[in-house]
Amino acid sequence: MEAAAAAEEKVFVAVPAEPRAGQSTLAWALRHLYGGAGTTIVVTHVHVPPQMIPIMGVKFHADKLSPEPVRAFRRAERERAHEMLDDYIHQCSQIKVKCEKLVIEQEDAASGLVELIRLRRITKLVIAAAEDKHYSKKLDKPVSKTATEIMERADPSCKIWFVCKEQLVCTRSKEVQIAPLTVAAPLLPSPGHEAQHLQSPQEEGDTEMEPSFDDELEEARKAVGELMRRALKESCRRQKAEEEMATSLQKAQEHEQLYLEEVKKREELEAALARADREIARLRQAIQQKHDRGGSHGEIDA
């Protein structure tokens, strides 16, 4: 049974589609977790459908466009992502490493990976803690939004290695405390830390810390509310600008169409005038010939 389990061991490596961005993450996994013929490296990518669609050099939100151009652009981007991920497979095949490609589509990369871990019962995952350019020796935890959410939300049965620039930053073992799926991790502390903070006043008999914590929590809520208000205002402003741009683009297209129709009518008129000129010239020539023949007959009779 143990030999069968070892033969089926899979190490999932979460990477972006761009090969250069995920090469160091894959390299670390190959160097430290690849166990030979009994191991399969699964290059894993969550494809997030683009929301901004470029048309004639201008980007529009997908909600503002008809479904056809949105589907066409997203299909092209999906195919492009698959093609770029093939470079990871090629990299593994060059060194005789068994490798598979797994691509899913989700509106949010972190949520997609969390769901994938649960559905596939993934037990080993390697993911970048940050972009390579942000690496430093002081880096001891994930700093990217996706990696942070994975650490706090992923199923505890999955061991996760967080790496950066081919260096191990930290790991999350099976015993780690994780935040519930319904909690927004970046806004609140993890449940374990929150429990410690709330229990300590009761143990020490200090009743003044709890109101202080409530005040801080209220301040945090107000700050979040203000940020949301500003974000909504900015979103409305951008939406209005996009609508105005779309209207301007539509008017420009209408003017262009009118111009083309006017050019076509002018060409047709010029062609008709040319035909009329040719017909007039032909009639003049016929009259002249008739006149010339009439004059000749008069001279003969005389």
Side-chain angles (χ1 to χ4, degrees):
M1 292 293 292
E2 291 181 0
E8 297 175 354
E9 182 183 37
K10 290 189 175 183
V11 177
F12 290 76
V13 183
V15 295
E18 172 59 50
R20 287 176 297 181
Q23 189 173 9
S24 64
T25 304
L26 179 59
W28 186 93
L30 292 173
R31 191 167 66 249
H32 294 279
L33 298 181
Y34 180 65
T39 305
T40 299
I41 299 295
V42 184
V43 174
T44 307
H45 174 68
V46 179
H47 177 69
V48 180
Q51 295 299 316
M52 301 304 294
I53 312 298
I55 295 180
M56 298 178 65
V58 181
K59 289 187 176 182
F60 298 93
H61 196 278
D63 294 341
K64 305 298 181 184
L65 300 173
S66 58
E68 289 77 11
V70 175
R71 280 197 297 265
F73 180 75
R74 287 180 173 176
R75 181 170 58 252
E77 287 295 293
R78 187 162 52 246
E79 292 173 355
R80 179 170 170 269
H82 274 276
E83 291 175 0
M84 287 193 293
L85 286 165
D86 287 338
D87 286 350
Y88 293 107
I89 306 299
H90 179 66
Q91 180 181 345
C92 292
S93 64
Q94 283 186 320
I95 56 176
K96 309 301 181 183
V97 171
K98 185 178 179 182
C99 183
E100 298 175 358
K101 179 175 66 174
L102 177 59
V103 182
I104 64 171
E105 189 165 310
Q106 183 65 265
E107 295 295 331
D108 176 72
S111 298
L113 284 172
V114 169
E115 185 68 9
L116 190 63
I117 290 170
R118 183 183 67 82
L119 293 175
R120 293 294 185 98
R121 298 181 180 178
I122 296 173
T123 58
K124 293 183 177 181
L125 175 70
V126 182
I127 187 172
E131 295 182 23
D132 287 352
K133 63 182 180 180
H134 297 310
Y135 174 76
S136 71
K137 292 183 178 180
K138 295 181 180 180
L139 188 65
D140 60 357
K141 63 180 180 180
V143 295
S144 78
K145 180 178 180 293
T146 299
T148 301
E149 290 192 32
I150 293 298
M151 170 175 270
E152 299 183 349
R153 295 172 54 192
D155 191 287
S157 63
C158 181
K159 183 171 183 178
I160 308 174
W161 289 264
F162 297 91
V163 301
C164 183
K165 205 172 184 179
E166 295 192 42
Q167 301 295 323
L168 179 64
V169 174
C170 66
T171 61
R172 197 206 71 166
S173 62
K174 297 179 181 180
E175 294 77 17
V176 73
Q177 292 286 338
I178 63 171
L181 293 179
T182 55
V183 175
L187 298 180
L188 296 176
S190 65
H193 292 163
E194 185 178 357
Q196 277 187 330
H197 184 77
L198 294 176
Q199 289 172 0
S200 58
Q202 296 177 358
E203 293 173 357
E204 298 176 6
D206 186 358
T207 60
E208 295 182 359
M209 289 185 67
E210 188 170 354
S212 175
F213 176 76
D214 290 341
D215 291 343
E216 292 178 1
L217 185 60
E218 184 62 27
E219 287 293 327
R221 286 174 178 169
K222 289 180 179 179
V224 171
E226 178 63 19
L227 288 175
M228 290 179 65
R229 187 188 67 79
R230 291 180 181 178
L232 180 60
K233 183 178 179 181
E234 178 64 16
S235 176
C236 292
R237 186 188 67 79
R238 291 186 178 182
Q239 183 178 352
K240 183 179 179 181
E242 290 173 0
E243 289 175 353
E244 291 176 351
M245 188 175 296
T247 301
S248 299
L249 178 60
Q250 184 178 359
K251 288 182 178 179
Q253 291 174 340
E254 291 174 355
H255 287 309
E256 182 180 6
Q257 185 63 31
L258 290 173
Y259 172 75
L260 293 175
E261 291 176 359
E262 182 67 25
V263 170
K264 183 179 179 181
K265 289 179 180 179
R266 182 177 297 176
E267 290 175 350
E268 291 175 351
L269 181 59
E270 289 176 352
L273 289 173
R275 287 195 300 271
D277 288 341
R278 288 195 297 272
E279 183 64 22
I280 292 171
R282 187 185 66 79
L283 290 174
R284 284 179 176 173
Q285 185 177 6
I287 292 171
Q288 183 64 37
Q289 290 176 352
K290 184 177 180 180
H291 181 269
D292 292 342
R293 284 197 299 272
S296 299
H297 289 310
E299 291 176 359
I300 294 172
D301 292 341

